[in-house]
């Protein structure tokens, strides 16, 4: 069953129900109800992260911090996963692509992790903050110009702004030329949407990008990774780029959407800066809600719970951040003491750039559309029914329509009518003539780059 509270009064997670399911619309609409019950069982409890996939979920802030900062007893290499190795996890489970092993820093430990992470951290450190802000503002202006030019003065911000903005920024940071950037965006978007073949599209595009940078290095993140003293192979570079994309774009989209909705909500105190809205989002609506699978290297007792070696232990960043035990001294904690970016050796290496991008994205939105309003109350917004992230499904807004005169105005092109094709003739060709194939429509990144050039 997927109810939070049974009509008979039986709480979720008891033997009459089995484990608490952390998926589906009822969990998505009120995850705090599930977290509250799980906390009553101890610092951690068994849950179903997907159908027929059981994990131990840590909901205590202190226990989460202990696990994240204790790599000797809790490692990240998911090749240890007992149930997966024993064939007890469905091969098509949505948990497998999220938790399965990949040769990147996220799923590595010890010296292998240190080598890969150092390459990523050092490469990110070379990103110029002022340039990153300009890149974000330019991406924001392009997207805002596209939807704000519509006469009806309404838009859906998740699809038209929050989701594509990080994709544009990352494609630029990676040094993608237009066509490769288009495919990178199609590939990573398809992976999150569950589109068949999306991983091949992304892998092919990144492999082509790496080959290009081997021939023509540039002042971009891809080149810096390739030239790092760790001497990453092309395959290793590819996997680190995938990690940066998957770990950066979707969580950033969630943070931008939620922060915007929160700032514009009836609950927000006027005068507080955008930085506070982003911080509150990271505390109360952690974009990566339940993730960071760890595997005990030996049997562990944690707060009365028995954790078996090599059984997955997931950290609920969402539940840990809202742990009632923090309430008494939350005001004394640093604004950055939340676990939205993780902690310990696997903490997000891009947390500062990510925070900067989110703040700049929200500020750009408010500056360009000063009378922007959310069309429904914050409490009535719908959240995605997934255990992995805390993200709005839609963010409907209204504003005063604007006339756009920049190159971002891209009127839809209507194809000229064609005469019916005769028998044996391909549509779109004249009898006795061979016409070249029509050029492919430009993708999002190509259109963005054309707009920045005023084309």
């Amino acid at each position: 069953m997927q109810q939070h509270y049974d009509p008979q009064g039986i709480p979720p997670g008891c033997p009459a129900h089995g484990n608490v399911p952390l998926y589906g619309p009822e969990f998505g609409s009120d995850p705090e109800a599930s977290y509250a019950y799980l906390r009553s069982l101890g610092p951690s409890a068994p849950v179903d992260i997907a159908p027929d996939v059981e994990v131990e979920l840590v909901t205590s802030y202190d226990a989460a911090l202990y696990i994240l900062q204790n790599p000797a007893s809790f490692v990240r290499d998911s090749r240890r996963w007992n149930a997966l190795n024993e064939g007890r996890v469905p091969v098509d489970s949505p948990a497998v692509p999220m938790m399965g092993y990949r040769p990147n820093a996220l799923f590595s430990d010890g010296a292998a992790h240190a080598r890969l992470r150092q390459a990523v951290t050092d490469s990110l450190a070379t990103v110029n903050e002022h340039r990153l802000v300009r890149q974000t503002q330019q991406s924001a202006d392009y997207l805002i110009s596209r939807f704000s030019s519509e006469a009806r003065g309404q838009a859906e911000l998740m699809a038209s702004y929050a989701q594509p903005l990080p994709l544009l920024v990352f494609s630029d940071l990676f040094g993608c030329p237009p066509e490769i950037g288009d495919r990178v965006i199609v590939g990573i978007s398809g992976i999150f949407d569950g589109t068949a073949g999306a991983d091949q599209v992304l892998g092919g595009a990144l492999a082509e990008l790496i080959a290009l940078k081997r021939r023509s290095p540039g002042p971009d993140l891809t080149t810096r990774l390739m030239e790092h003293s760790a001497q990453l192979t092309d395959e290793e570079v590819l996997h680190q780029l995938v990690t940066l994309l998957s770990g950066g774009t979707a969580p950033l989209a969630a943070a931008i959407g939620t922060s915007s909705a929160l700032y514009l909500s009836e609950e927000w105190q006027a005068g507080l800066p955008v930085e506070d809205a982003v911080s509150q989002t990271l505390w109360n609506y952690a974009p990566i809600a339940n993730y960071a699978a760890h595997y005990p290297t030996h049997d562990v007792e944690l707060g009365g719970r028995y954790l078996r070696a090599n059984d997955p232990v997931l950290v609920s960043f969402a539940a840990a951040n809202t742990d009632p035990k923090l309430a008494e001294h939350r005001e004394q904690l640093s604004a950055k003491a939340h676990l939205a970016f993780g902690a310990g050796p696997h903490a997000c290496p891009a947390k500062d750039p990510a925070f900067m991008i989110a703040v700049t994205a929200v500020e750009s939105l408010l500056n360009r559309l000063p009378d922007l309003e959310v069309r429904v109350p914050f409490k009535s917004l719908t959240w995605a029914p997934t255990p992995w992230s805390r993200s709005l499904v839609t963010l409907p807004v209204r504003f005063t329509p604007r006339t756009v005169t920049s190159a971002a105005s891209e009127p839809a092109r209507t194809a000229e009518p064609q005469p019916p094709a005769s028998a044996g003739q391909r549509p779109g060709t004249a009898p006795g003539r061979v016409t070249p194939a029509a050029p492919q429509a430009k993708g999002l990144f190509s259109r963005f780059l054309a707009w920045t050039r005023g084309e």
Side-chain angles (χ1 to χ4, degrees):
M1 295 183 70
Q2 297 182 16
Q3 294 175 313
H4 290 308
Y5 296 104
D6 186 84
Q8 303 288 326
I10 303 172
C14 77
H17 285 254
N19 292 340
V20 173
L22 259 66
Y23 54 89
E26 294 199 37
F27 168 75
S29 65
D30 189 14
E32 276 301 328
S34 292
Y35 298 148
Y37 172 70
L38 292 169
R39 290 189 188 103
S40 72
L41 304 179
S44 68
V47 301
D48 287 342
I49 200 75
D52 301 316
V53 181
E54 179 181 294
V55 301
E56 188 80 6
L57 187 74
V58 178
T59 56
S60 157
Y61 182 93
D62 290 340
L65 204 56
Y66 172 76
I67 289 171
L68 293 167
Q69 294 179 337
N70 191 356
S73 296
F74 296 92
V75 297
R76 297 296 301 272
D77 189 338
S78 57
R79 289 174 293 187
R80 292 171 169 264
W81 188 357
N82 284 329
L84 184 65
N85 293 335
E86 295 164 7
R88 293 186 280 117
V89 174
V91 293
D92 59 348
S93 171
V96 173
M98 296 299 295
M99 296 172 56
Y101 175 78
R102 298 176 189 271
N104 58 32
L106 194 62
F107 292 95
S108 301
D109 302 289
H113 167 258
R115 171 176 169 268
L116 294 174
R117 182 181 172 86
Q118 195 65 51
V120 172
T121 302
D122 290 348
S123 299
L124 285 169
T126 65
V127 174
N128 182 278
E129 291 185 1
H130 298 294
R131 181 169 180 239
L132 181 60
V133 169
R134 288 196 302 272
Q135 286 175 321
T136 304
Q137 290 171 334
Q138 197 168 42
S139 299
D141 285 348
Y142 170 67
L143 295 170
I144 294 168
S145 295
R146 284 172 61 85
F147 71 74
S148 67
S149 63
E150 298 182 10
R152 58 193 174 93
Q154 295 187 0
E156 195 290 284
L157 285 188
M158 291 306 296
S160 61
Y161 187 70
Q163 291 166 354
L165 189 147
L167 296 172
L168 291 176
V169 173
F170 272 73
S171 295
D172 201 28
L173 281 175
F174 285 5
C176 293
E179 190 272 337
I180 291 180
D182 288 343
R183 286 159 51 208
V184 166
I185 289 176
V186 168
I188 192 65
S189 300
I191 287 174
F192 285 113
D193 292 339
T195 305
D199 51 347
Q200 287 85 0
V201 172
L202 178 62
L206 290 177
E208 192 172 324
L209 175 64
I210 292 167
L212 173 65
K213 297 302 176 182
R214 286 286 180 208
R215 299 190 301 270
S216 303
D220 51 69
L221 200 56
T222 306
T223 299
R224 291 170 192 136
L225 271 172
M226 296 170 65
E227 294 179 345
H228 191 268
S229 59
Q231 298 184 324
L232 272 59
T233 66
D234 286 359
E235 182 182 11
E236 288 175 328
V237 171
L238 188 150
H239 283 290
Q240 308 325 302
L241 292 177
V242 171
T243 303
L244 287 168
L245 274 173
S246 57
T249 55
L252 256 178
I256 292 167
T258 305
S259 301
S260 300
L262 185 62
Y263 190 91
L264 294 168
S265 73
E266 63 284 353
E267 303 172 0
W268 190 250
Q269 182 179 335
L272 291 179
V274 168
E275 286 89 343
D276 285 7
V278 176
S279 291
Q280 192 170 133
T281 292
L282 297 174
W283 271 106
N284 297 334
Y285 309 95
I288 300 176
N290 304 289
Y291 196 54
H294 287 72
Y295 300 85
T297 56
H298 53 87
D299 294 347
V300 178
E301 188 274 330
L302 182 69
R305 291 289 302 167
Y306 176 75
L307 309 180
R308 193 163 72 102
N310 298 327
D311 279 352
V313 179
L314 265 63
V315 174
S316 178
F317 301 109
N321 281 348
T322 56
D323 187 341
K325 292 181 179 179
L326 292 180
E328 296 179 3
H329 55 279
R330 170 93 173 252
E331 297 296 327
Q332 283 72 49
L333 289 174
S334 163
K336 297 181 179 180
H338 59 77
L339 299 180
F341 292 123
H346 282 88
C348 175
K351 57 185 178 181
D352 291 335
F355 188 86
M356 185 183 304
I357 292 170
V359 169
T360 303
V362 179
E363 288 179 341
S364 297
L365 191 63
L366 299 172
N367 290 336
R368 287 289 298 268
L369 303 173
D371 63 347
L372 187 70
E373 295 179 347
V374 179
R375 286 165 28 212
V376 297
F378 184 81
K379 292 181 179 178
S380 300
L381 293 170
T382 302
W383 301 87
T386 170
W388 315 106
S389 64
R390 184 67 163 157
S391 180
L392 292 170
V393 175
T394 60
L395 181 54
V397 296
R398 58 175 166 257
F399 48 88
T400 300
R402 299 186 54 191
T403 300
V404 177
T405 58
S406 71
S409 300
E410 297 178 354
R413 297 179 181 176
T414 304
E416 296 181 5
Q418 298 286 336
S422 59
Q425 176 191 339
R426 254 183 334 158
T429 63
R433 290 180 57 192
V434 177
T435 57
Q440 283 190 327
K442 288 183 178 181
L444 176 63
F445 192 58
S446 290
R447 297 196 301 271
F448 165 66
L449 292 178
W451 178 82
T452 62
R453 296 190 294 263
E455 296 175 2

